[in-house]
Amino acid sequence: VLLSRAMHAMYIFGNASTILDSNKSGNWETVIEYFNEENLIGDYLPLSCKNHKNLQKISCLDDWIKVPNNGCTLKCDSLLICGHPCTLNCHPEAILSHDSNEYCFQIIDILRPCGHVVK
């Protein structure tokens, strides 16, 4: 069922030898053989930020802690509609949109018609 349900990608974390050693039904032997033939077994999971194009390699549990959100540790810096850069950590646009000023934290001076300046 696992193999037939994967629509876009599938990652199996573990040791292929250990999986084969505990493989009572023999199903995993075919899967791992196919993965080997197609060069799909590796030592890490590559994560790439769509915004900054940087690559993070996940090879152990501690690596997941180092890459919050979508795998990027840089600042977003995309422009908000007010023209200021987003100061949040990098995030997918689908999760947090830049089409509002909700996340603008810039302090600016606004000159009122009466002559007073407000921040």
Side-chain angles (χ1 to χ4, degrees):
V1 173
L2 173 69
L3 296 175
S4 65
R5 298 288 186 247
M7 297 180 78
H8 301 288
M10 176 180 59
Y11 293 94
I12 301 170
F13 294 92
N15 183 305
S17 299
T18 303
I19 292 171
L20 287 174
D21 290 345
S22 63
N23 184 24
K24 306 258 188 273
S25 65
N27 294 335
W28 281 109
E29 187 173 344
T30 305
V31 172
I32 291 175
E33 186 178 297
Y34 171 77
F35 287 168
N36 273 324
E37 288 172 2
E38 297 295 319
N39 198 27
L40 298 173
I41 293 181
D43 296 328
Y44 61 87
L45 172 66
L47 295 179
S48 179
C49 173
K50 288 182 179 181
N51 299 333
H52 297 105
K53 310 294 186 240
N54 58 338
L55 178 68
Q56 300 286 336
K57 296 177 180 179
I58 306 297
S59 61
C60 66
L61 182 60
D62 289 340
D63 292 341
W64 284 108
I65 297 167
K66 298 174 190 170
V67 290
N69 301 326
N70 62 335
C72 187
T73 57
L74 300 174
K75 291 288 182 194
C76 174
D77 282 336
S78 291
L79 289 182
L80 301 168
I81 61 169
C82 61
H84 294 121
C86 179
T87 58
L88 301 176
N89 287 336
C90 187
H91 54 85
E93 180 73 21
I95 292 176
L96 192 150
S97 177
H98 294 114
D99 60 0
S100 77
N101 289 331
E102 182 178 354
Y103 297 100
C104 181
F105 302 106
Q106 293 283 345
I107 298 174
I108 60 171
D109 293 335
I110 299 173
L111 180 62
R112 297 288 184 192
C114 63
H116 291 106
V117 175
V118 286
K119 294 203 179 271

